[in-house]
Amino acid sequence: MYEVLNVVGSALWFILPAYVANATPVVLGGGPPLDGGKNFIDGRRILGDGKTVRGFVCGLIAGVVVGALQKRWLTGTLLALGALLGDLLGSFIKRRLGIERGGALPGLDQLGFVAVALLLASPVEAPGWAAVAAILLITPVLHLATNFVGYKLGLKSRPH
Ligand code: CTP
Ligand code: MG
């Protein structure tokens, strides 16, 4: 039991800069969209209005600060950048599938950001397989729970 808690604790500590980078835009985002309002060749938005310049910058700064506080400056920066790029990639894919801004794509919505964060940070620092498994299992639950709280607080227009 103690070992399980230890793995879960170190997994959450490892991925924390990615979580913070992903959550910050919900509170501090808004304003001009990253894609400049432009459409892709398929006639749909490149990313959509849910991905803003301010959200990206604030998310990156917040994630970098958390990494610095953890004394893992480089890993924290890569995790934060990976989380934000993974989130953009998710929106890009959703738009290509014809899913409007705010529409759900279960799986990608909860794990896309964390998968790209892990990949980008892996050349510098990778957690063990047990920690990766813990991150992949816990993140969807935490993501759905925090998004539901954000919805109840009026920060998000939809509960996912
Ligand atoms: N947000 C932002 N900038 C980002 C990412 C998120 O401003 N780079 C803000 C937006 O207000 C967004 C909210 O955080 O609506 C929630 O993020 P998310 O659920 O990822 O966006 P959605 O609105 O659901 O859009 P999408 O369908 O593209 O995921
Ligand atoms: Mg969403």
Side-chain angles (χ1 to χ4, degrees), residues 1 15 60 69 74 91-92 96 101 107 121 132 137 148 150:
M1 186 63 195
I15 204 67
L60 187 59
L69 289 173
L74 183 56
S91 291
F92 180 79
R96 305 290 72 74
R101 176 248 172 116
V132 172
L137 281 171
F148 187 72

Side-chain angles (χ1 to χ4, degrees), residues 22 25-30 34 47-56 84 87-88 90-91 94-95 99-103 109 147 155-156 160:
N22 188 251
V26 179
V27 185
L28 298 180
L34 270 165
L47 298 171
D49 287 330
K51 306 294 122 145
T52 69
V53 179
R54 200 171 75 209
F56 192 94
L84 289 157
D87 184 49
L88 297 188
S91 291
K94 289 203 291 184
R95 297 305 89 84
I99 301 169
E100 299 285 326
R101 176 248 172 116
D109 280 337
N147 278 2
L155 292 168
K156 282 189 66 112
H160 54 70

Side-chain angles (χ1 to χ4, degrees), residues 94-126:
K94 289 203 291 184
R95 297 305 89 84
R96 305 290 72 74
L97 294 173
I99 301 169
E100 299 285 326
R101 176 248 172 116
L105 184 51
L108 188 67
D109 280 337
Q110 292 78 32
L111 284 174
F113 78 98
V114 98
V116 176
L118 285 171
L119 275 177
L120 208 65
S122 61
V124 173
E125 191 184 345

Side-chain angles (χ1 to χ4, degrees), residues 2-63:
Y2 176 76
E3 272 168 51
V4 173
L5 286 178
N6 200 25
V7 168
V8 168
S10 54
L12 293 178
W13 180 255
F14 182 91
I15 204 67
L16 191 62
Y19 282 177
V20 171
N22 188 251
T24 300
V26 179
V27 185
L28 298 180
L34 270 165
D35 66 7
K38 292 194 177 66
N39 287 344
F40 197 58
I41 45 171
D42 56 7
R44 300 180 193 279
R45 283 290 293 277
I46 302 174
L47 298 171
D49 287 330
K51 306 294 122 145
T52 69
V53 179
R54 200 171 75 209
F56 192 94
V57 172
C58 291
L60 187 59
I61 291 172

